[in-house]
Amino acid sequence: MRIPDITRDETLDLARRYCELESYEAGVSNGEADAEIERRFQAIRARGLLLPEDLRHIARWKYPGQALLNLVEKNTPVDVMEISQASFSATTERLRVGALLALHGVGWPMASVILHFAFPDRYPMLDKRVMRVIGAPAAYSFDRWVEYADLCREASRRLDVSMRVLDRALWTLAGSDQPDR
């Protein structure tokens, strides 16, 4: 598993191209969709927990269609709030991600999205296309997630870009031939 050899300028260009692409919502660019979810996460970070409508919004941002929304709707409001609060206040990475995995509809990719936006400088997003680009199978586990997070933290420092810029660049580099982020 390794980040492709790309320069800072190439990383910034790939991230810019990501922002220009149309998101799942017709007429809305990825950059606009990202700005909306980042605004939402400002309130989430201030509260220290997710509300059910936040989880639904994240699901719509991550995957098109109704299937994931149907799963996240199975969570009770209390479960969403208590589980996310436990995750956000956890001091260990295993508990931070593990708590989120207890929610209906939250697998490794969704958990990584939540943690990416809740802790923007700490966590990358897991995505099956990006896993191909870095030479790793999309068979997610705690150890793979930690390894990938460490790899992205190092690349973010080396390239002097934010984790979000790196994530956008890797997603664009991987191509957008599949419907999930």
Side-chain angles (χ1 to χ4, degrees):
M1 179 184 319
R2 74 178 197 63
I3 301 290
D5 292 326
I6 54 176
T7 66
R8 182 176 194 278
D9 286 343
E10 290 168 327
T11 304
L12 293 171
D13 183 58
L14 287 163
R16 179 192 52 75
R17 287 175 29 208
Y18 164 91
C19 288
E20 293 170 353
L21 294 171
E22 187 171 80
S23 73
Y24 300 141
E25 187 179 344
V28 176
S29 71
N30 279 337
E32 293 165 326
D34 281 14
E36 172 58 31
I37 200 165
E38 287 167 356
R39 277 190 297 276
R40 181 174 289 272
F41 264 91
Q42 288 176 352
I44 291 167
R45 285 190 296 273
R47 270 194 316 270
L49 56 82
L50 293 172
L51 299 174
E53 58 266 24
D54 298 323
L55 188 59
R56 286 190 297 274
H57 187 84
I58 296 162
R60 280 192 305 274
W61 182 89
K62 178 67 174 151
Y63 295 104
Q66 192 63 37
L68 184 59
L69 286 173
N70 291 343
L71 288 173
V72 300
E73 289 291 336
K74 292 181 177 184
N75 294 295
T76 67
V78 170
D79 281 348
V80 172
M81 293 184 290
E82 285 187 6
I83 289 170
S84 62
Q85 185 174 40
S87 170
F88 296 169
S89 64
T91 58
T92 68
E93 291 192 340
R94 188 175 298 276
L95 179 56
R96 186 167 280 164
V97 71
L100 293 173
L101 294 172
L103 290 167
H104 293 286
V106 178
W108 286 98
M110 269 282 288
S112 73
V113 167
I114 293 167
L115 292 177
H116 177 77
F117 286 109
F119 302 91
D121 298 323
R122 183 118 184 101
Y123 301 110
M125 285 185 233
L126 290 171
D127 179 273
K128 63 185 172 188
R129 287 180 310 275
V130 173
M131 292 295 106
R132 285 193 303 266
V133 165
I134 66 164
Y140 304 122
S141 67
F142 178 76
D143 290 339
R144 170 130 330 114
W145 178 69
V146 168
E147 182 181 3
Y148 181 59
D150 288 343
L151 188 70
C152 287
R153 289 176 194 136
E154 188 281 321
S156 175
R157 282 189 298 274
R158 179 176 43 81
L159 294 167
D160 190 28
V161 297
S162 69
M163 188 69 75
R164 186 72 196 118
V165 166
L166 179 63
D167 184 77
R168 287 172 174 162
L170 291 174
W171 190 88
T172 304
L173 190 62
S176 58
D177 59 342
Q178 307 219 0
D180 61 322
R181 280 193 169 85

